Amino acid sequence: MLEIKNLHVKLEEEDKAILKGVDLTVEAGKVHAIMGPNGSGKSTLSYVLSGRDGYEVTDGSATLEGEDLLEMEPEERAAAGLFLAFQYPVEIPGVGNMTFLRTAVNAQRKARGEEEMSAAEFLKAVREKAKALKIDADMLKRPVNMGFSGGEKKRNEILQMAMLEPKMCILDETDSGLDVDAMKLVSEGVNALRDAGRAFLVITHYQRLLDHIRPDVVHIMADGRIVKTGGPELALEVEQNGYADILSEAV
Ligand code: ADP
Ligand code: MG
Ligand code: MG
């Protein structure tokens, strides 16, 4: 599904390398997690995959189902099936959440050459998915993320993901501001979307989230590289012993 090879990225503004040869393959149907100390480049990886400005790829490649992601505009990446949930979801004053969602869904359908969803179809789908995520009608009408609590923003993000039905979902989570209930809801949302044709890359600072979203594979990132890969037990090892042992082994 997602194949990253020897990815090197530097900041556009400064001569500072941030990703220093990331290799990562995520297969369809799998959930991969990336953990790692602060500043190791986890968020940068998700930003570069989404096509955010400010970063320059100096070497390597990233493909989605064999197609070159790095050549695509951000909207083309979304149309190709990439979804990114960010640490800090944006607030959009004056645009109703439902309107925003419908625009996003239909823009993606159009880019894929599919027919737009009718208002009735959309309403039915959004209500169904919102209910499953315990998002009430009021939250659907309010401007996007305005005044939403941390937990509400998270649920809204999962709703966006559920509506867009992406193939490759990348979640960059600080876990901060997520209380246990919100974390459970997000995890359930993710688990409900698990599917043989869909893959997840869950970036997280703490093992806690991975108690609920059980990953198939865990990677540890440090200083711009994946330094260790293992099963779910690797997350437990980090929780118990921190990163020091893994990092000294990796050198
Ligand atoms: P993580 O998500 O693993 O905590 P980041 O990807 O946020 O790490 O950051 C990796 C490194 O790159 C850090 O040292 C950070 O300070 C630096 N960095 C990232 N983006 C910028 C930027 N726009 N300007 C300056 N430094 C940046
Ligand atoms: Mg950070
Ligand atoms: Mg980060």
Side-chain angles (χ1 to χ4, degrees):
M1 178 68 70
L2 178 69
E3 188 156 44
I4 301 170
K5 283 188 191 156
N6 192 35
L7 189 64
H8 285 72
V9 171
K10 74 173 209 47
L11 290 176
E12 226 159 49
E13 303 268 300
E14 299 168 49
D15 218 18
K16 184 180 172 189
I18 300 180
L19 300 184
K20 303 170 184 173
V22 174
D23 287 297
L24 177 68
T25 303
V26 184
E27 309 81 5
K30 300 288 183 199
V31 177
H32 284 228
I34 298 185
M35 304 178 77
N38 234 323
S40 54
K42 304 181 297 298
S43 294
T44 300
L45 177 64
S46 65
Y47 295 153
V48 169
L49 293 174
S50 75
R52 185 184 279 213
D53 288 336
Y55 302 97
E56 189 186 321
V57 174
T58 53
D59 202 1
S61 63
T63 57
L64 184 69
E65 294 190 306
E67 287 190 63
D68 187 352
L69 266 180
L70 304 176
E71 283 285 300
M72 297 181 204
E73 295 299 322
E75 2 13 299
E76 293 172 324
R77 298 178 197 212
L82 185 73
F83 176 89
L84 280 113
F86 283 120
Q87 291 177 330
Y88 308 106
V90 282
E91 300 183 351
I92 314 180
V95 177
N97 204 16
M98 194 101 97
T99 307
F100 173 79
L101 260 180
R102 185 156 173 234
T103 306
V105 166
N106 281 333
Q108 187 176 76
R109 288 191 161 221
K110 205 171 158 198
R112 287 178 180 169
E114 297 166 4
E115 232 175 277
E116 287 195 359
M117 246 183 179
S118 73
E121 252 182 311
F122 175 79
L123 208 61
K124 185 167 177 275
V126 84
R127 280 196 180 137
E128 237 173 60
K129 294 189 201 283
K131 196 174 164 204
L133 286 165
K134 302 193 177 125
I135 291 173
D136 63 27
D138 177 54
M139 221 173 107
L140 289 175
K141 286 184 209 139
R142 274 153 62 188
V144 181
N145 287 325
M146 294 290 290
F148 286 18
S149 70
E152 285 173 339
K153 282 183 182 172
K154 283 284 136 192
R155 276 182 279 162
N156 203 39
E157 213 169 66
I158 301 295
L159 176 65
Q160 291 170 3
M161 187 160 82
M163 288 301 297
L164 288 166
E165 301 185 328
K167 293 176 189 162
M168 180 74 230
C169 307
I170 302 178
L171 291 97
D172 188 358
E173 303 297 331
T174 55
D175 299 342
S176 59
L178 264 196
D179 60 29
V180 176
D181 289 342
M183 187 147 48
K184 272 194 189 149
L185 260 170
V186 168
S187 311
E188 280 164 14
V190 168
N191 289 334
L193 287 175
R194 276 187 171 191
D195 179 287
R198 181 172 289 142
F200 290 85
L201 186 59
V202 180
I203 298 172
T204 185
H205 291 244
Y206 302 105
Q207 194 268 340
R208 221 157 44 123
L209 185 68
L210 304 180
D211 285 339
H212 302 289
I213 304 177
R214 227 175 129 70
D216 298 295
V217 182
V218 175
H219 307 276
I220 307 296
M221 190 159 177
D223 194 23
R225 282 187 205 93
I226 304 284
V227 296
K228 189 166 183 175
T229 295
E233 74 286 348
L234 193 51
L236 289 171
E237 194 185 319
V238 167
E239 183 78 350
Q240 277 158 16
N241 307 326
Y243 291 110
D245 290 353
I246 292 169
L247 299 190
S248 60
E249 249 173 59
V251 170

